Amino acid sequence: MRQAGRYLPEYRALRDRHSLLELCHTPELAAEVTLQPVRRLAVDAAIIFADILLPFEPLGLGLSFEKGEGPVIAKPIRNAAAVAALPPVDPATQLGYVLDTVRAVKAALPAAVSLIGFAGAPFTLASYAIEGGASRDFARTKQFMYNQPGPWHDLLSRLAELVGSFLAAQAGAGAAALQLFDSWVGCLSPADYREYVQRHSRRALELAGASGAPVIHFGTNTAGFLADFAAAGGEVVGVDWRVPLDVAWAAVGSDRAIQGNLDPVALFAPRAELERRVRDVLTAAAGRAGHIFNLGHGVLPTTPVAALQAVVEQVHRGLK
Ligand code: CP3
């Protein structure tokens, strides 16, 4: 999950001097930011500091992050010609700075702390590429999907090859596990997920898994099609707080591991209430085939650091 960022004063200090893209492009700085939450929170895993949208640079789409606006894509994909014009991307060289960050973090990280590499899933990346930025209803994305199914599948299959090989390259550089982020896939109906997206996620997950590293398949709002989402692949399925863990396990299968699923806003609750909610997650996961305790989505910028530290300590104590 996103665990670095603006809630940490040491991150804000670096951001005062560097843009987000500068931090990503500079392996020494990106490695430092990756380590910040590990030092502060004593979490069991670090997630590499990068962004799912970085492949848009070698794809020639133009990427920037604007204050208060989030990501902005200068040349959004709106037609078949734009899909056909996408250049091939070699992640090993064109995103080589991310692999350098993986190597730098790996060298600095205590052996007991795992390193997670990541990439965006084909659907979530396509949604940014088509919308040109964040979206509430994903209207342009769905219009593209319904009206131009050929170019749609062409776009998603290109993205699947790119992110699948990018993930495998991160494992090759030293990441112990990989995470595929399909953050906005929950905007789709179950039938649309199966028809327009599932095969492309399956391909990306298959390429990533061929590296031998375990893969976490993350989504939010997926309760309505969780069995189909899980069927696309991944050793671990990420779920958010909108689905109770026992319901999630029934859909995913009791032989699979789940990551989740504390509501990030629970970190703003009174301490006793937060503790109760953490205990509920641990209780629901007790005795299961595998569980990675996590938030259901990223840490919000105003989150109190002390609440995060308390959660990590409680999870390490377990149900005792
Ligand atoms: O621990 C970490 O933070 C790891 C690094 C990381 C970032 N982005 C850096 C970042 C990770 C894992 C991501 C993934 C990412 N990026 C996702 C998938 C995960 C999720 O949260 O759903 C998505 C959808 C993005 C796209 C993205 N990047 C958005 C929508 C934004 C703006 C959001 C905001 O809060 O302004 C970003 C910017 C971004 N990427 C930040 C960070 C830490 C925000 C901090 C900053 O602007 O300095």
Side-chain angles (χ1 to χ4, degrees):
M1 200 53 60
R2 277 206 243 164
Q3 64 183 11
R6 287 165 292 196
Y7 75 97
L8 283 176
E10 56 270 36
Y11 176 80
R12 290 197 301 270
L14 267 180
R15 277 286 274 117
D16 283 345
R17 290 188 281 128
H18 305 278
S19 71
L20 179 62
L21 284 174
E22 251 166 48
L23 290 180
C24 291
H25 289 158
T26 315
E28 310 82 74
L29 294 176
E32 167 59 22
V33 178
T34 304
L35 294 167
Q36 286 176 346
V38 177
R39 294 190 198 110
R40 274 277 189 166
L41 307 177
V43 281
D44 301 315
I47 184 158
I48 211 74
F49 191 80
D51 197 87
I52 62 164
L53 303 179
L54 295 174
F56 287 180
E57 296 185 302
L59 282 171
L61 302 182
L63 172 66
S64 59
F65 289 90
E66 309 293 339
K67 224 183 167 75
E69 236 186 291
V72 176
I73 287 84
K75 290 186 270 176
I77 296 175
R78 295 282 159 78
N79 52 43
V83 178
L86 289 172
V89 171
D90 173 28
T93 51
Q94 292 172 289
L95 294 163
Y97 60 90
V98 176
L99 306 181
D100 289 339
T101 301
V102 172
R103 291 183 197 100
V105 175
K106 180 91 178 130
L109 206 59
V113 182
S114 303
L115 179 57
I116 303 173
F118 72 92
F123 174 80
T124 290
L125 287 185
S127 79
Y128 280 106
I130 293 168
E131 302 287 341
S135 173
R136 185 179 282 272
D137 49 22
F138 299 91
R140 284 183 193 273
T141 306
K142 292 182 186 183
Q143 284 175 58
F144 197 108
M145 199 168 89
Y146 299 143
N147 291 298
Q148 308 184 73
W152 169 265
H153 284 295
D154 186 16
L155 173 61
L156 266 76
S157 65
R158 284 169 189 252
L159 292 170
E161 298 297 318
L162 197 175
V163 299
S165 59
F166 184 33
L167 286 168
Q170 292 179 58
L178 303 167
Q179 182 155 201
L180 188 73
F181 282 105
D182 216 347
S183 304
W184 311 130
V185 73
C187 73
L188 295 174
S189 72
D192 284 348
Y193 179 74
R194 284 191 295 271
E195 180 170 350
Y196 294 104
V197 174
Q198 190 189 38
R199 75 187 84 158
H200 304 293
S201 292
R202 180 175 287 129
R203 175 66 179 154
L205 291 160
E206 179 184 276
L207 286 169
S211 69
V215 186
I216 304 162
H217 184 195
F218 171 84
T220 68
N221 244 323
T222 54
F225 54 90
L226 193 52
D228 293 317
F229 181 79
E235 276 66 33
V236 184
V237 178
V239 296
D240 70 18
W241 60 94
R242 296 175 183 91
V243 57
L245 283 183
D246 57 335
V247 176
W249 254 297
V252 165
S254 53
D255 58 331
R256 300 271 290 282
I258 286 185
Q259 169 178 277
N261 71 340
L262 188 74
D263 185 344
V265 183
L267 290 150
F268 298 83
R271 197 51 59 82
E273 177 65 16
L274 172 58
E275 254 180 53
R276 189 181 65 75
R277 285 164 183 255
V278 171
R279 197 164 53 242
D280 285 348
V281 172
L282 293 175
T283 305
R288 295 291 185 168
H291 177 234
I292 299 173
F293 184 97
N294 210 326
L295 306 182
H297 212 161
V299 178
L300 297 168
T302 52
T303 304
V305 176
L308 284 159
Q309 288 168 329
V311 168
V312 173
E313 280 167 29
Q314 187 182 349
V315 172
H316 283 160
R317 278 199 310 275
L319 284 170
K320 290 189 281 292

